[in-house]
């Protein structure tokens, strides 16, 4: 869901959700009043247990309501805590110590434990009510609001059809009881709450104090998670220290976590080799041979070739709205070759939109609903047939095609763009596709503004088969493609209204096929990740659901 954006992505099999009240197994310890953010030694060691690792870019925002990407999700995972937490691809209690689900599956009643914000104030059900309603408030500008459209009147409130937030099915019944009422049962609702950073609570008085500057640095936010943000030097480093007010602080062994911003993968690897990093979270594909003991896994998302059917301008819109032209670009791509040459270990070519690890009613979705999709290797003959059909429909030659703008992010996506541009030139003879490389926030903004023709979209798809499909309904919050297909929207909504799970998945499969045949997207890759950590470091979780790196229960024993 990044998202989004983006968002932004990480999945193994979806855990079975509790259908009865679940109970925490860890100690409830509210800690003392906040005040000292200094790092203290933990246990008998004289040295603070500080885990240091690197990411290629800094998070886009630490305002959880506006978070869109895995970079934001990863920091927020460590400094915040929602009602439930997705840890190691399982749903465990968070601030909600227990919960009840009504027999019809529509009403969730969360019973909150007594816990504190990092400044010592109590965390209450009202904090969650405020945070959820802020997320869907159209004035907030949240990216993935449709993830909460299953809540009674959430969509109507977000779209301005109602203005009274009290009509939304999210209510604090008392100080420590929160009730959420759904329009229809959502079997994976707890996963939605636990795996997405935008459902972490925000503190109302702090949000109102700082306004647009909320969460701009470590002085402008208060959080409630295992760690607090102690320092944020933009484009350089983020430092998190143990939150002594966290309810489960006794089980947090690290004194802190330092995340360095190291754009170059070779530099990060050298720092790991020299002992400056304890954990290498993402090994560049070219360096895999150096680390024979590295781990690898699917990262939990899907990457797609995304096309703006309206075009960057009217001239390019005529081309990008042509389905045969889009199919020509897709079938010219050697997905397996790109995965082998550019992507991280564990990356697989994507032949369809739903992940191969996604569960359906009676097993894996891919096993129950087979679909050949797009081949892993390039299909030059078929690609050129599509191109010839497109050119005939457009009444153009290759030389008459307008310049098309491919917007790419810095880093790995730049490498993807170069490989794709080469494929389109070599297989199709197209010389009119120009790459514009932008920093991540600017690339996302350009896509939101539809100032692009081609883009590689990376989205989390780890919750359910619907996770990736619901983005593309008409006027979806991140459907920045200009494709607003009423047939697809009806197919998707009809499927999601089915209470019977076999009927729901069958409907989703039909929608997936329709999207593949007619939509503004082509499957590209299922991203993988390769990583390694020092032998003195334990408790590192690389998850395919929720935050990619989960270090809250890590420990250092040198």
């Amino acid at each position: 869901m990044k998202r989004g954006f983006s968002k932004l992505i990480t999945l193994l099999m979806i855990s079975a959700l509790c259908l009865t009240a679940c109970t925490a197994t860890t100690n409830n310890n509210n800690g003392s009043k906040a005040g000292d953010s200094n790092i203290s030694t933990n246990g008998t060691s004289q040295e603070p247990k500080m885990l240091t690792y690197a990411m290629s870019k800094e998070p886009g925002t630490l305002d959880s309501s506006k978070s869109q990407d895995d970079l934001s999700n990863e920091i927020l995972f460590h400094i915040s805590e929602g009602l439930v937490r997705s840890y190691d691809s399982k749903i465990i209690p968070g601030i909600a110590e227990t919960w009840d689900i009504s027999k019809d599956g529509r009403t969730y009643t969360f019973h909150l434990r007594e816990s504190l914000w990092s400044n010592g104030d109590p965390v209450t059900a009202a904090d969650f009510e405020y945070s959820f309603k802020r997320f869907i408030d159209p004035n907030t500008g949240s990216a993935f609001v449709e993830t909460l459209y299953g809540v009674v009147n959430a969509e109507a409130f977000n779209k301005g059809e109602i203005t009274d937030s009290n009509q939304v099915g999210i209510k604090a019944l008392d100080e420590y009881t929160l009730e959420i009422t759904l329009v229809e049962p959502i079997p994976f609702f707890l996963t939605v709450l636990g795996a997405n950073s935008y459902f972490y609570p925000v503190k109302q008085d702090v949000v109102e104090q700082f306004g647009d500057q909320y969460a701009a640095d470590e002085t402008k936010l208060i959080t409630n998670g295992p760690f607090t943000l102690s320092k944020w030097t933009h484009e350089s480093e983020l430092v998190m220290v143990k939150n002594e007010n966290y309810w489960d602080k006794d089980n947090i062994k690290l004194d802190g976590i330092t995340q360095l911003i190291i754009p170059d993968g070779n530099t990060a690897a050298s720092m790991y080799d020299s002992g400056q990093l304890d954990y290498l979270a993402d090994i560049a594909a070219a360096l895999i041979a150096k680390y024979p003991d590295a781990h690898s896994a699917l990262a939990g998302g899907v990457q797609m070739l995304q096309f703006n059917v309206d075009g960057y301008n009217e001239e390019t819109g005529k081309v990008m709205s042509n389905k045969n032209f889009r199919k020509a670009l897709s079938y010219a791509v050697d997905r397996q070759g790109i995965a082998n040459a550019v992507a991280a270990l564990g990356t697989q070519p994507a032949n369809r939109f739903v992940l191969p690890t996604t569960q359906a009613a009676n097993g894996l979705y891919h096993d129950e609903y087979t679909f050949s999709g797009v081949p892993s290797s390039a299909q030059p003959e078929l690609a050129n047939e599509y191109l010839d059909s497109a050119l005939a429909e457009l009444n153009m030659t290759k030389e008459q095609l307008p310049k098309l703008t491919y917007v790419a992010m810095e880093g790995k996506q730049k490498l993807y763009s170069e490989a794709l541009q080469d494929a389109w030139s070599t297989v199709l003879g197209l010389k009119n596709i120009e790459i514009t490389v932008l920093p991540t926030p600017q690339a996302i903004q350009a896509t939101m503004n539809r100032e692009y023709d081609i883009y590689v979209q990376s989205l989390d798809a780890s919750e359910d088969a619907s996770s990736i499909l619901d983005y593309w309904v008409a006027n979806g919050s991140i459907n920045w493609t200009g494709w607003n297909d009423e047939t697809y929207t009806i197919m998707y909504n009809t499927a999601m209204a089915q209470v019977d799970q076999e009927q729901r998945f069958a409907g989703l499969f039909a929608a997936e096929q329709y999207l593949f045949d007619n939509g503004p997207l082509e499957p590209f890759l299922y991203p993988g990740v390769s990583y390694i950590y020092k032998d003195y470091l334990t408790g590192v979780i690389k998850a395919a659901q929720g935050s990619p790196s989960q270090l809250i229960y890590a420990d250092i024993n040198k």
Side-chain angles (χ1 to χ4, degrees), residues 360-476:
N362 302 303
L364 289 174
Y365 178 91
H366 277 210
D367 292 341
E368 291 194 45
Y369 305 99
T370 57
F371 178 40
S372 57
V374 64
S376 299
S377 59
Q379 305 292 305
E381 184 175 349
L382 183 57
N384 278 283
E385 288 178 7
Y386 276 121
L387 180 59
D388 290 343
S389 296
L391 293 173
E393 292 164 355
L394 293 167
N395 194 26
M396 289 182 178
T397 65
K398 293 180 187 179
E399 293 71 27
Q400 292 174 320
L401 289 169
K403 180 190 78 172
L404 301 177
T405 300
Y406 180 148
V407 171
M409 297 180 188
E410 295 174 324
K412 192 170 293 181
Q413 287 214 7
K414 178 178 182 293
L415 300 178
Y416 289 157
S417 69
E418 293 167 349
L420 290 166
Q421 184 188 49
D422 180 69
W424 295 328
S425 174
T426 302
V427 175
L428 299 173
L430 296 178
K431 310 295 183 183
N432 62 316
I433 300 174
E434 298 185 2
I435 300 169
T436 299
V437 180
L438 299 172
T440 299
Q442 288 91 319
I444 293 173
Q445 190 62 52
T447 311
M448 292 174 68
N449 295 340
R450 299 186 188 176
E451 297 170 349
Y452 77 101
D453 294 301
I454 303 168
Y455 178 72
V456 169
Q457 180 65 277
S458 300
L459 292 173
D460 175 71
S462 61
E463 294 159 1
D464 184 69
S466 64
S467 298
I468 199 68
L469 300 176
D470 67 347
Y471 293 126
W472 314 110
V473 297
N475 300 309

Side-chain angles (χ1 to χ4, degrees), residues 123-134:
V123 178
T124 68
D127 291 320
F128 282 95
E129 179 180 350
Y130 166 77
S131 301
F132 284 20
K133 289 180 177 178
R134 177 177 183 258

